[in-house]
Amino acid sequence: MTGTIVDVPGVLVGHAQNEETLTGCSVIVLEKPSVCGVDVRGSAPGTRETDLLDPVNLVSVVHAICLSGGSAYGLDAATGVMQYLEEQGIGLDVGYGVVPIVPAAVLFDLAVGDYRVRPDRQMGYEAAQAASRETVAQGNVGAGTGASVGKLNGFGNAMKSGLGTASMTLPNGLVIGAIVAVNAVGHVVDPQSGTILAGPRDEQGTIRDSVDIMRQQAFAPIPPGTNTTIAIVASNARLSKTEANKVAQMAHDGLARTIRPIHTMYDGDTIFAVATGDIETSVDLVGTLSADVLAEAVIQAVKHAEEAGGLPSYRSYFQK
C-alpha cells in the first residue's frame, strides 16, 4: 500500500505541470466506468460536467476526473483528458464512437507564477497519459503546483501550499483514498494538535490565525480570485449515484476540520466522490471515513509543499 489514493482499486493518477510558470493539473483515470457524485460548497466554483452527476440525470458513471489550476481557463485541460481516453476507446458508447465523461474543477493560481500560462488541452492529455498506480507525488505537483494558503493579510504574506493525498484500509477490504489541491484563503490547522501549519503571516513573519484577523478587522474582505480547494475522495464500495453524492457532501467535513475559513463567497470548494468496487458497506461509514482521509490529505498537501513564487512553505518554518 502506498498511503495514497491509488491504493483504491481501479484508480490511476497522473500529473502534469509547468514548474517555471507554477501551474498544473492532476487527473484520476478510472480503470472501469465508476459511479461518481459531487458536492460544491464554495460560492465561486469553476466546474465542468457536474450537472450530470445529479442523481436525476441519465449518465451514472464517469471515466476520469480532472483537477486543474488556471481558474476557468484550466477547464480546457479536461478536453485533453477526453482526447486521450477517446484514443484508447474509453468512453460512453453513443453509437457514433465514444464520449468520455470527464468532470473537472479548477482553482485560482493566476497570482503565482505567470498568469498568462494556464493548464491547457496538451497538459490535460499529458496528465492522463501519465496516469498510473505508482505512489502519487505530492506538494508542488499537478493541480497543487501554484496553490497557496493564508491570504487574509495580503497575498504577499501568504504561504505556499500544494497537492496532498492519503488512504486507509479496513479489515473487510474497504479502501478509501483522497487527493486534494489546497488553495485556501484561510489557514491550515492540524485538528489533532491545533497547530497552524500554514497561513497568513504578519510583518514579522509570524503565522497568524485567519479568523482572528477577520475578527480584528470586523469587515475584512475575502480577497477575490485567490482561492478554492478541490478534491476527490474514492473508495471500492458499492454505491449508487445518490449515495456517492452523499459521500461527497460528508467529505467536506474534512476540509472544515483543517481549513479556516472554508466555503466562503470567493471560494469554489468542490469535492467529487467516486465508488469503484463491490464492497458492501454503509454510505455513512464511507462518508465519515472519507472526511477523515481528506483531512489527512490536506495536511500532507501543506507538509509536502516547497517554497515557490516568493512564498515560504511549511518546510520553511518547521523543517529548517
Side-chain angles (χ1 to χ4, degrees), residues 57-97:
N57 291 332
L58 175 66
V59 176
S60 60
V61 295
V62 304
H63 303 94
I65 302 172
C66 181
L67 305 179
S68 180
S71 189
Y73 293 107
L75 291 171
D76 190 36
T79 303
V81 180
M82 289 186 68
Q83 178 186 345
Y84 174 78
L85 294 177
E86 182 186 24
E87 291 174 2
Q88 312 307 309
I90 298 171
L92 182 67
D93 188 348
V94 295
Y96 300 89

Side-chain angles (χ1 to χ4, degrees), residues 24-313:
C25 65
S26 299
V27 175
I28 277 190
V29 175
L30 299 162
E31 290 188 310
K32 64 179 183 179
S34 299
V35 172
C36 185
V38 67
D39 192 72
V40 180
R41 293 289 175 92
S43 294
T47 58
R48 169 172 167 162
E49 296 280 44
T50 52
D51 280 356
L52 64 80
L53 302 179
D54 189 312
V56 304
N57 291 332
L58 175 66
V59 176
S60 60
V61 295
V62 304
H63 303 94
I65 302 172
C66 181
L67 305 179
S68 180
S71 189
Y73 293 107
L75 291 171
D76 190 36
T79 303
V81 180
M82 289 186 68
Q83 178 186 345
Y84 174 78
L85 294 177
E86 182 186 24
E87 291 174 2
Q88 312 307 309
I90 298 171
L92 182 67
D93 188 348
V94 295
Y96 300 89
V98 296
V99 178
I101 306 301
V102 185
V106 295
L107 57 79
F108 189 104
D109 59 3
L110 304 183
V112 179
D114 187 344
Y115 70 90
R116 296 167 295 184
V117 178
R118 287 88 59 159
D120 56 11
R121 180 174 184 154
Q122 181 61 33
M123 189 176 284
Y125 185 96
E126 292 172 0
Q129 189 176 43
S132 75
R133 295 189 192 86
E134 296 296 320
T135 301
V136 181
Q138 302 182 69
N140 297 16
V141 296
T145 303
S148 57
V149 296
K151 297 131 188 180
L152 280 170
N153 212 23
F155 187 78
N157 292 314
M159 291 181 65
K160 187 70 182 69
S161 181
L163 180 134
T165 179
S167 72
M168 72 164 59
T169 304
L170 271 61
N172 69 344
L174 178 66
V175 185
I176 296 175
I179 187 169
V180 60
V182 181
N183 192 58
V185 67
H187 64 268
V188 173
V189 61
D190 183 333
Q192 300 299 320
S193 66
T195 302
I196 297 177
L197 305 177
R201 297 170 295 130
D202 62 20
E203 290 68 21
Q204 288 73 45
T206 302
I207 301 175
R208 297 281 308 281
D209 184 306
S210 302
V211 179
D212 282 349
I213 292 175
M214 295 177 75
R215 288 194 191 102
Q216 291 165 9
Q217 296 183 4
F219 295 99
I222 302 295
T226 59
N227 316 307
T228 294
T229 295
I230 49 180
I232 303 166
V233 295
S235 74
N236 60 339
R238 176 182 293 166
L239 299 176
S240 67
K241 191 158 67 160
T242 299
E243 290 171 329
N245 275 273
K246 182 62 179 179
V247 168
Q249 181 189 87
M250 295 177 71
H252 273 281
D253 289 354
L255 300 186
R257 293 172 197 160
T258 52
I259 301 172
R260 298 194 69 201
I262 193 70
H263 306 146
T264 73
M265 292 298 295
Y266 291 104
D267 281 302
D269 304 321
T270 299
I271 297 177
F272 297 98
V274 180
T276 68
D278 293 311
I279 299 291
E280 294 289 348
T281 188
S282 76
V283 65
D284 290 327
L285 177 64
V286 177
T288 298
L289 297 184
S290 293
D292 292 342
V293 176
L294 182 53
E296 178 60 27
V298 170
I299 292 171
Q300 294 304 316
V302 168
K303 288 188 172 181
H304 281 84
E306 302 280 356
E307 60 181 73
L311 301 179
S313 67

